[in-house]
Amino acid sequence: MKGRDTEKRHSLAVFKRMLKQGRYSLAILILFTILVLLSRVAIEEIILNNVQHMGESLAQSYSTEEERNMIGYQLLLELGASYVSEDAVSYMDQDTLELYLKRYFQDAIHVMGEGVIDPYAVVNGEIVAANPWTGDSVYDVSETEWYRKALEADGKVIFTNAYTDVISGKAVITAAVKGEGTNNVVAFDVFPENFRVEDNRQELPEGSSYFLCDSNGTLLYRESAVNGTEEEISAYIKRLFDAIQSGDLDAADAYITDIVGEKRGIYYNEAENGWVSIITIPYTSILAEFGQLRFWTVGILTIFWVLGGIMTIRSYLLNRDMERTNETVRVLGNSYYAIYRVNYRHGTYDMIKGSDYIRAHLPLHGAYDELMATLGKVIHQNIYQDFKDAFSLEHLQELVQKRVRDFGGDFLRRFNGQYRWVNVRALFDESLSVGEVVLCFREVDEEKQAELRQMEFLENTLQTMKESEASKDRFFSNMSHDMRTPLNAILGLSQLAQDHVDDPVRTADYLDKINHSSHQLLELINDILELSKIEQGKLSFNESEFDLRRYIEDCCSSFQFQAERENKAFSISFRIQDQEVIGDPQRLGQVLNNLLSNAVKFTGAGGSVRVDVVQMEPGPHAKYQITVTDTGVGMSEKFLEKLFLPYERDTQFGAKNISGTGLGMPIAKSIVQHMGGRITVESTLGEGTTFTVTLPFQTPRGDAAPQKETQQVQTEEYQLDGKLMLVAEDNELNMEITTEILRSQGAQILQAWNGREALEVFEQSQPFGIDAILMDMQMPEMNGCEAAKAIRALDRADAQSVPIIAVTANAFAEDIAATAAAGMNAHVSKPIDFEVLKQTLRDLAGG
């Protein structure tokens, strides 16, 4: 009896617990039902709060996308800041700096796209622009907002609000940055239509609108579902912006009435630069789910009542599943649109989160092979096998064994008929169950497209470099031909002279032609050396006062004689007030010689060449325009685009039979730009060409004008009588020529056949016994620079003072710099101009 009573009491206790749990469950269900039925307002508030969170997230996402759009401008501006920094300004003169800036502007326009930006810079108070405008020289940038903000930001890129551009009259935004250690600023003007939300990953609800405003409420960009006139839209945006600024739209249930009278929820995000991204969602979309919620509420309550009796039993399973989900969330977060737990030992999957397509075709749990087969229907067929191999059960197990915690790659996946890039990751962590990994999918189409665009840009850059290299190869091929032509004449005529030494008249004719061909070859080499100086920014200028009209007439005289001899008309006219100017006449002569040489060269018999010189502005800072017009063969439009590029030469219409490197025009343009001027060309095939050169010259007028510089007249020639010269040269013929000519001038010669021998000869000489050393650069055992350094390092009184002159065929700018660094006093290029050598010796030795 006692045992039976105990059993009865136990059963009663279990029943009471179940009844108690059931009573609690029933109470909870009844309470929940009452709350649901009586809380429509509360439910609506919840929906509005949720929509507010969603809307604010969307606004923040769009704002982030806008900020990403700024990255390209910021990166280019930060690069441009290095061109106007203290280091760059101190390293380059103003003309060189402007040249580099304009190249940078062209590269920036190429990267961002034609017409997207208008770049310019403020350097030492002056504007340097990719597209100069009238009045830029008197434009006061210190009063502009972008310039002040860029100085205050001190190296950080700033963006202004929209304002009306005084040049175009259109709304414009300026991005700018200050160079380090200076008040120089690089800036881009960007028109608002270039601001785009390209392809935001989060789509707006149906009927929604998106607006982007600056910090003043000016509309920069819109994607609106509401149509209206510009005035109506502007008034609507102002009303929106004012309500946002006043805080009237901060509440979840706040709304505004649009142009057509529809209620809209307003959600916004303010970026760091003060710009506001605004999203409006119609209430019809927001509360459309409320009706569905009531329907689902009845269904859920029914399910709850039916399942209420087994809630206690299900609680353990639910808790266990919740824990599994929490583990997954800790590993992955919420960044992926699809998440699966894969057991590579059992070959199964658990769908934690799936795309619409997968959920429609697969259960939440199943065989991994079925998941892979279903994915194969949406992953691009060209890469499906790679995907299948990368995420096979065997490979997943191998990755875990190797402790690879994160593995994956990018694949093309079809969404609604359109392929987009997806990043697939296999993640491993010890917190997961044994034999499990997490397979997750994230859409990365925007980032991938940006990466592909960058790759395309790099490929285009590489192609441009290849084209440039091909252009150089063509140049060297042409140069080789042009150099071989006079060299062939020199060799052939030398042989003829040897064969006819008994005929003085013919020999003299051969020698004249050899001399002409030699000078032709020297001109080709000088062009190459001049281009080397230009490319390294080492072009030098020497200003003096000279008679512009007389100098131009002198330059034209030899070409006028040539033209008349070839039955071509040649005329020159002047309309100038100030003939005396200050500038570099030799550099001006280089430009004129190039233009006149081409004009006469490419004009046939019966044609004409005309030179017109006009003073455009009077006063102490005048501008002169020099126009050279011919009626020659002209140039094609295609070649005109490459006329001023180095290594380019037109061989299609007559130039192929005329000597030259094709470097004359690039050299002329560089000289003109360094002189602060500009050169333009107009040409038509078969009709002729017109070159127009505009140059600024200072005129010596007024009290502030500089004193006229006069050329020193050499009163006496430097004499070599009694001078002892050390000649270091490893070429026997060059040694013979140099020795004979110097001895003919009365000098005594010590010969050294390499750099080490030159050092030893100098060491063995009496102090101050050698008057000068002529040093070749490329010699065996010890080259010229090494020998010069060794001589300068000797412990003797004249080691530092003896003049050492580099006499070498190494005549590029870097060669001249190397000889100077080695301690040499001067540089004379081969073939030696002995008048130049004697002048150099006079300057150094004070003869």
Side-chain angles (χ1 to χ4, degrees), residues 622-693:
K623 282 188 178 180
Y624 294 81
Q625 182 173 283
I626 304 170
T627 305
V628 178
T629 304
D630 66 66
T631 60
V633 297
M635 289 173 280
S636 64
E637 289 187 17
K638 183 177 181 181
F639 180 68
L640 281 177
E641 298 174 357
K642 304 185 292 184
L643 176 64
F644 294 111
L645 296 178
Y647 316 116
E648 295 288 348
R649 184 170 65 171
D650 189 6
T651 59
Q652 188 175 3
F653 301 101
K656 63 177 70 176
N657 297 320
I658 299 176
S659 62
T661 60
L663 298 177
M665 287 300 100
I667 292 172
K669 182 175 182 179
S670 182
I671 291 174
V672 170
Q673 288 179 333
H674 278 78
M675 295 175 73
R678 65 191 298 254
I679 181 171
T680 59
V681 60
E682 296 178 359
S683 185
T684 303
L685 273 177
E687 297 182 10
T689 302
T690 299
F691 282 94
T692 302
V693 177

Side-chain angles (χ1 to χ4, degrees), residues 77 101 104-105 118-122 127-131 133 139 141 146 163 165 172-176 185-189:
L77 283 170
L101 277 173
Y104 157 71
F105 292 157
D118 183 13
Y120 50 93
V122 179
I127 295 177
V128 180
N131 303 299
W133 62 86
Y139 186 66
V141 297
W146 57 265
Y163 63 94
D165 180 49
V172 70
I173 296 164
T174 298
V185 170
V186 177
F188 294 165
D189 279 350

